[in-house]
Amino acid sequence: MLKQTTILLGIGMAALAFTSCEKDGILESATIENRDAAITTEGESLLKLSELPLAVKAHLSTNFPKHVFVEAKKYVNLAGKVAIDAKIKVGTSLYICKYDLVGNLLELIKDSKVLVAVKETDLLPAIKSHLKVAYPLCKIVSIHKDADPANGFYELRIDVLGLMVTVNYDKDGKFLLADSIESLLVSLKENELLPAITSHLKLKYSGYVVLSSVKCVKNNLVEHLVNIKVGSKFYDLKFNALGLITNTVEHTVLSANSLLANIKAHLNLYHKGYVLVEAKKYVINNVVSHVVAIKHAGIDYLVTFDGLGIFTKLAGSNGYVELMLKVTELPLACTAYMVKNHLGYALISAKKIVAGGVSKIVCVILSKGVKYELSFDLSGKLLLSKKI
């Protein structure tokens, strides 16, 4: 099964978290208190989790995957309409989500602060810039900000290749926190870095500038991710909980003219008319790769190439994924079929494809002078064989 990941170009990491479940499987949550529906005041009644409309459950599970259900009530609001309030906890924050009877969100309150909806076109440039770098394939699901401009903060929910991530920014658009079902990322100021991290930076990178630093918590494992710039080069550095370096990624920004010929040829062949968004060259443990962000036919793509500019992977904002495979990575059943039915074949290419949520393996081979395209499921069972 192809693992979905959240791609972070700027700091090279993924946004993450913890999960809990409800017995009926419709909503992933936990109940603090299980109570029967009871009349509280005239025209107002408490609701059990199981009594919430399916649309309300779906909104809560989609937008707050780590939430804990506290209570809910049905009542007549000031407009004379029947409404539902669902009170939930997400981490240390208490949310009150107000819905109409069909599950449309009417109002959102976080820790007694009213949050108002914001149009995507009204987002601060700093927020748009961070999203472009950190989550280039994201789709914005919702945007809210504190109704009080003096204490304003922004809370976005974005979909990154199927992973829901909540991202918080301050009133000026500075990144504060990213939280998902897999992990938690918390922004750190430079003076909040561990002494061991600061010492490493001063020793190894003269004249460095810290661009971003975050603390990542995943499965109770703590890491520190620091992005710095030295001259024209950028470095993504990973440190453990003690501040000891564990991984270093060097990357440089590439212009359209500096792309390798193989990369240009591939993009022009498979994405004719594409628009280049950004391109970077990475060096990880002396292994070079190129990651190119493009827009083509209204879809955002990240296309990855090796050091020679040979295509290795593609991921689209529509969920489409291609991953080139080595012959040793093919299921044994695939190889067995090709040996049995195409003795002496030559493997031209093999890749894993995810389209419409369905995964398959596609091999192109040359057998007795004829090209074949063979499609298999992930276990290696043949789905289709055709001459090309």
PDB file of all heavy atoms in Angstrom, residues 6-14 225 236 282:
ATOM      1  N   THR A   6       2.817  13.719   3.933  1.00  0.00           N
ATOM      2  CA  THR A   6       2.675  15.158   3.823  1.00  0.00           C
ATOM      3  C   THR A   6       4.013  15.728   3.451  1.00  0.00           C
ATOM      4  O   THR A   6       4.976  15.480   4.115  1.00  0.00           O
ATOM      5  CB  THR A   6       2.253  15.735   5.165  1.00  0.00           C
ATOM      6  OG1 THR A   6       1.043  15.111   5.530  1.00  0.00           O
ATOM      7  CG2 THR A   6       2.056  17.216   5.069  1.00  0.00           C
ATOM      8  N   ILE A   7       4.043  16.458   2.350  1.00  0.00           N
ATOM      9  CA  ILE A   7       5.318  16.933   1.827  1.00  0.00           C
ATOM     10  C   ILE A   7       5.577  18.331   2.320  1.00  0.00           C
ATOM     11  O   ILE A   7       4.794  19.222   2.139  1.00  0.00           O
ATOM     12  CB  ILE A   7       5.299  16.903   0.300  1.00  0.00           C
ATOM     13  CG1 ILE A   7       4.936  15.487  -0.157  1.00  0.00           C
ATOM     14  CG2 ILE A   7       6.631  17.323  -0.260  1.00  0.00           C
ATOM     15  CD1 ILE A   7       4.673  15.391  -1.616  1.00  0.00           C
ATOM     16  N   LEU A   8       6.723  18.534   2.941  1.00  0.00           N
ATOM     17  CA  LEU A   8       7.116  19.853   3.425  1.00  0.00           C
ATOM     18  C   LEU A   8       8.414  20.226   2.749  1.00  0.00           C
ATOM     19  O   LEU A   8       9.462  19.735   3.119  1.00  0.00           O
ATOM     20  CB  LEU A   8       7.310  19.829   4.946  1.00  0.00           C
ATOM     21  CG  LEU A   8       6.045  19.713   5.783  1.00  0.00           C
ATOM     22  CD1 LEU A   8       6.390  19.186   7.156  1.00  0.00           C
ATOM     23  CD2 LEU A   8       5.384  21.055   5.921  1.00  0.00           C
ATOM     24  N   LEU A   9       8.356  21.075   1.701  1.00  0.00           N
ATOM     25  CA  LEU A   9       9.582  21.459   1.004  1.00  0.00           C
ATOM     26  C   LEU A   9      10.451  22.344   1.867  1.00  0.00           C
ATOM     27  O   LEU A   9      11.668  22.243   1.864  1.00  0.00           O
ATOM     28  CB  LEU A   9       9.226  22.194  -0.291  1.00  0.00           C
ATOM     29  CG  LEU A   9       8.632  21.328  -1.407  1.00  0.00           C
ATOM     30  CD1 LEU A   9       8.386  22.195  -2.629  1.00  0.00           C
ATOM     31  CD2 LEU A   9       9.526  20.187  -1.747  1.00  0.00           C
ATOM     32  N   GLY A  10       9.841  23.284   2.597  1.00  0.00           N
ATOM     33  CA  GLY A  10      10.626  24.259   3.347  1.00  0.00           C
ATOM     34  C   GLY A  10      11.396  23.626   4.476  1.00  0.00           C
ATOM     35  O   GLY A  10      12.562  23.885   4.677  1.00  0.00           O
ATOM     36  N   ILE A  11      10.737  22.776   5.271  1.00  0.00           N
ATOM     37  CA  ILE A  11      11.420  22.161   6.403  1.00  0.00           C
ATOM     38  C   ILE A  11      11.507  20.654   6.243  1.00  0.00           C
ATOM     39  O   ILE A  11      11.990  19.954   7.115  1.00  0.00           O
ATOM     40  CB  ILE A  11      10.727  22.527   7.729  1.00  0.00           C
ATOM     41  CG1 ILE A  11       9.234  22.173   7.668  1.00  0.00           C
ATOM     42  CG2 ILE A  11      10.893  23.978   8.041  1.00  0.00           C
ATOM     43  CD1 ILE A  11       8.493  22.426   8.944  1.00  0.00           C
ATOM     44  N   GLY A  12      11.025  20.157   5.102  1.00  0.00           N
ATOM     45  CA  GLY A  12      11.191  18.769   4.728  1.00  0.00           C
ATOM     46  C   GLY A  12      10.548  17.764   5.642  1.00  0.00           C
ATOM     47  O   GLY A  12      10.992  16.646   5.746  1.00  0.00           O
ATOM     48  N   MET A  13       9.463  18.132   6.323  1.00  0.00           N
ATOM     49  CA  MET A  13       8.828  17.217   7.267  1.00  0.00           C
ATOM     50  C   MET A  13       7.330  17.080   7.006  1.00  0.00           C
ATOM     51  O   MET A  13       6.749  17.791   6.232  1.00  0.00           O
ATOM     52  CB  MET A  13       9.046  17.719   8.706  1.00  0.00           C
ATOM     53  CG  MET A  13      10.498  17.596   9.128  1.00  0.00           C
ATOM     54  SD  MET A  13      10.989  15.876   9.273  1.00  0.00           S
ATOM     55  CE  MET A  13      12.481  15.912   8.356  1.00  0.00           C
ATOM     56  N   ALA A  14       6.715  16.174   7.762  1.00  0.00           N
ATOM     57  CA  ALA A  14       5.287  15.953   7.600  1.00  0.00           C
ATOM     58  C   ALA A  14       4.497  16.307   8.853  1.00  0.00           C
ATOM     59  O   ALA A  14       5.016  16.219   9.936  1.00  0.00           O
ATOM     60  CB  ALA A  14       5.040  14.495   7.270  1.00  0.00           C
ATOM     61  N   LEU A 225      13.452  20.290  14.132  1.00  0.00           N
ATOM     62  CA  LEU A 225      13.691  20.477  12.710  1.00  0.00           C
ATOM     63  C   LEU A 225      14.038  21.939  12.469  1.00  0.00           C
ATOM     64  O   LEU A 225      13.238  22.830  12.758  1.00  0.00           O
ATOM     65  CB  LEU A 225      12.446  20.100  11.914  1.00  0.00           C
ATOM     66  CG  LEU A 225      11.733  18.809  12.357  1.00  0.00           C
ATOM     67  CD1 LEU A 225      10.424  18.643  11.629  1.00  0.00           C
ATOM     68  CD2 LEU A 225      12.635  17.612  12.143  1.00  0.00           C
ATOM     69  N   ASP A 236      18.183  21.663   5.675  1.00  0.00           N
ATOM     70  CA  ASP A 236      17.158  21.157   6.579  1.00  0.00           C
ATOM     71  C   ASP A 236      17.864  20.214   7.546  1.00  0.00           C
ATOM     72  O   ASP A 236      18.384  19.173   7.138  1.00  0.00           O
ATOM     73  CB  ASP A 236      16.068  20.409   5.813  1.00  0.00           C
ATOM     74  CG  ASP A 236      15.365  21.299   4.810  1.00  0.00           C
ATOM     75  OD1 ASP A 236      15.161  22.481   5.132  1.00  0.00           O
ATOM     76  OD2 ASP A 236      15.021  20.815   3.712  1.00  0.00           O
ATOM     77  N   TYR A 282      18.349  18.639  -4.151  1.00  0.00           N
ATOM     78  CA  TYR A 282      18.623  18.150  -2.799  1.00  0.00           C
ATOM     79  C   TYR A 282      19.863  17.258  -2.793  1.00  0.00           C
ATOM     80  O   TYR A 282      20.101  16.501  -3.739  1.00  0.00           O
ATOM     81  CB  TYR A 282      17.445  17.342  -2.261  1.00  0.00           C
ATOM     82  CG  TYR A 282      16.234  18.173  -1.896  1.00  0.00           C
ATOM     83  CD1 TYR A 282      15.316  18.544  -2.861  1.00  0.00           C
ATOM     84  CD2 TYR A 282      16.026  18.591  -0.590  1.00  0.00           C
ATOM     85  CE1 TYR A 282      14.206  19.308  -2.541  1.00  0.00           C
ATOM     86  CE2 TYR A 282      14.928  19.354  -0.252  1.00  0.00           C
ATOM     87  CZ  TYR A 282      14.017  19.705  -1.229  1.00  0.00           C
ATOM     88  OH  TYR A 282      12.922  20.477  -0.905  1.00  0.00           O
TER      89      TYR A 282
END
